[in-house]
Amino acid sequence: MNLRVSLPLAAVAALFSFDASAFDRLSVTASHALDIARPAETISVPWARVNDALPQARSQQLVIKDAAGRTLAYQVTNVDATAKDPKMIGAAYGELLFQYDFKAGEKSATFTIEKSGATVPPFPPRTYARFVQERLDDFAWENDKLAHRAYGPALKAPAAPGSDKEVLVTSGLDIWFKRVPYPVVDRWYNIGHDHYHEDQGEGIDMYNVGPTRGAGGTGIWDGKQLHVGANYREWRILANGPIRTVFELHYDAWDANGAKVAEVKRFTVDAGRYFDRIDSTFTFSGPATLNAAVGLHKTPSDKGQEVKVDFAENKADGSLVQWVTQRSFGDFGVAVIVPSASAFAADARNGLVTAPVTSGKPLRYHVGAAWTRGSPFATQALWQKHVADEAARLRSPVSVSLAAGR
């Protein structure tokens, strides 16, 4: 979901070879090499380049348009909220983000960025994340396609004698399937557990995680056994919509066949996408490398659904694709894509994709899901094609070139 920003020398020269005060717009050209459609492609422009072309541009006073003159929603990420900025150059900012839907066969698109001269109201949020202390320290996130959650320390804590507190120890990841594009996380937590386990018009929490990897949880595979951590301990939100949400979950060290392994997961959640990006950084001492595993629960449906589950392994793109047929709740697909995958494996509960990891260096992978009642993927074949298209997009990122003009 992150795009490689390629700045040709000619574009860089254009930004600096004239008096910057003469520029009143920045032209952005995004291009790629695939023939497939690329909906909801996130275009990323470093804020420093925006400020070079449009000195003292304000994050809340921009207009971005495509070649047809349509105004696009945008987001500016903040990488250092404590930064001093006496020169008004956006010292705290990281990237300017906006999205575009490439049609099949459309391999290039051009956009303009200009100062608006007035404050632009906030755009409707299409991604969102928050710590849910009131529900035993859940951490929940969503975009306009899906919602997810991870489980925190309060859920892991033992129940007091005589209480009916739920206890679950897991670092697996959950899915909430949505019918609607608007945010549901706050609404569903407000109506309560028993309500969101029924489809009341907005979707349903029907995915079963338990002590498994759920949809994209990780562990260390020693060739025979999967060694996993417990519930996340700390969280940190780095960006929170409207186009991209970025956050981290920190997991305490666990024993992996004699090696103590801790993990930090960084999630990148983009609007309009059925896949999230996860960068998992494992920290350990002793061995030079370990074999990490990304998993999918083998039997993730609720009880009574007469379930049939199919798995497909694709060594070429490191994907493990699951299709779950149910009696009455609709069917759904789940997948993980691990570009650096070395092999596939399984234990009693999980299908696994394995990849070597070095201490302190992130393992990048992608987790996706879709429901027949809330997505265009009505069949297993359509879901498998979408996963293949997503893998192709990852192999062929969009490149971005910039030119300042008048």
Side-chain angles (χ1 to χ4, degrees):
M1 292 198 256
N2 252 358
L3 302 181
R4 182 181 63 226
V5 176
S6 174
L7 297 178
L9 290 177
V12 175
L15 287 171
F16 293 100
S17 59
F18 301 98
D19 177 9
S21 63
F23 300 149
D24 57 16
R25 70 176 57 190
L26 178 62
S27 177
V28 180
T29 301
S31 57
H32 67 98
L34 301 179
D35 291 323
I36 63 172
R38 299 179 71 135
E41 197 67 63
T42 304
I43 313 299
S44 172
V45 179
W47 182 261
R49 303 286 76 80
V50 175
N51 186 74
D52 287 339
L54 307 173
Q56 296 189 326
R58 306 293 172 85
S59 66
Q60 72 276 30
Q61 295 181 353
L62 295 176
V63 173
I64 302 177
K65 293 183 178 181
D66 65 13
R70 293 177 292 235
T71 299
L72 305 180
Y74 69 86
Q75 174 182 346
V76 177
T77 61
N78 188 314
V79 295
D80 184 0
T82 64
K84 305 297 183 182
D85 194 15
K87 296 182 179 180
M88 295 295 181
I89 61 172
Y93 301 147
E95 299 170 297
L96 171 64
L97 307 172
F98 58 94
Q99 289 192 318
Y100 183 71
D101 297 326
F102 285 93
K103 300 178 180 65
E106 183 183 16
K107 297 184 178 181
S108 180
T110 300
F111 314 89
T112 58
I113 303 171
E114 301 179 37
K115 295 180 183 179
S116 68
T119 298
V120 176
F123 298 98
R126 297 173 61 205
T127 66
Y128 175 62
R130 81 170 177 97
F131 171 57
V132 192
Q133 186 174 24
E134 69 271 25
R135 218 308 291 194
L136 298 171
D137 293 347
D138 282 358
F139 193 93
W141 65 100
E142 65 181 311
N143 66 2
D144 45 348
K145 304 300 184 183
L146 293 160
H148 303 262
R149 65 174 166 175
Y151 302 104
L155 184 63
K156 182 181 72 170
S163 76
D164 63 353
K165 174 191 171 295
E166 182 183 359
V167 177
L168 178 60
V169 179
T170 184
S171 56
L173 302 178
D174 194 14
I175 307 169
W176 286 358
F177 293 100
K178 295 172 60 170
R179 284 184 182 270
V180 294
Y182 55 75
V184 301
V185 161
D186 286 341
R187 289 164 68 100
W188 288 16
Y189 277 113
N190 185 58
I191 64 176
H193 177 277
D194 292 339
H195 287 267
Y196 57 71
H197 282 276
E198 294 183 3
D199 183 0
Q200 299 182 349
E202 293 180 326
I204 187 172
D205 173 15
M206 60 178 173
Y207 189 90
N208 179 26
V209 178
T212 76
R213 300 301 79 216
T218 49
I220 300 298
W221 179 249
D222 67 8
K224 296 180 180 179
Q225 183 178 351
L226 184 65
H227 304 272
V228 301
N231 307 38
Y232 81 85
R233 174 177 51 87
E234 295 179 357
W235 59 272
R236 185 164 72 110
I237 295 175
L238 305 173
N240 212 355
I243 292 168
R244 171 174 288 175
T245 289
V246 183
F247 62 92
E248 291 179 348
L249 299 179
H250 296 236
Y251 294 83
D252 283 336
W254 67 92
D255 181 76
N257 197 24
K260 285 290 186 182
V261 181
E263 181 184 10
V264 176
K265 288 183 181 297
R266 176 172 289 196
F267 296 75
T268 302
V269 182
D270 277 10
R273 305 296 291 275
Y274 289 91
F275 278 81
D276 295 342
R277 191 185 85 202
I278 303 176
D279 293 282
S280 274
T281 300
F282 300 91
T283 329
F284 52 89
S285 58
T289 62
L290 290 173
N291 212 23
V294 182
L296 293 179
H297 187 191
K298 286 182 174 180
T299 55
S301 293
D302 277 347
K303 295 178 181 179
Q305 285 297 301
E306 300 173 9
V307 173
K308 178 185 176 184
V309 181
D310 287 329
F311 275 97
E313 300 173 353
N314 188 329
K315 295 180 180 179
D317 59 26
S319 67
L320 179 64
V321 186
Q322 184 183 51
W323 185 256
V324 180
T325 304
Q326 303 184 114
R327 178 175 58 84
S328 61
F329 285 173
D331 304 337
F332 64 88
V334 189
V336 293
I337 304 172
V338 186
S340 61
S342 57
F344 296 89
D347 65 6
R349 293 171 169 166
N350 307 281
L352 303 169
V353 186
T354 64
V357 291
T358 302
S359 181
K361 295 185 178 180
L363 168 70
R364 177 166 294 180
Y365 65 98
H366 305 258
V367 178
W371 182 34
T372 54
R373 297 180 181 177
S375 79
F377 312 115
T379 66
Q380 181 176 3
L382 288 173
W383 174 239
Q384 289 175 331
K385 181 181 184 305
H386 182 73
V387 177
D389 286 350
E390 183 70 18
R393 290 173 72 163
L394 299 176
R395 292 192 300 270
S396 182
V398 169
S399 63
V400 176
S401 61
L402 310 177
R406 289 176 286 185

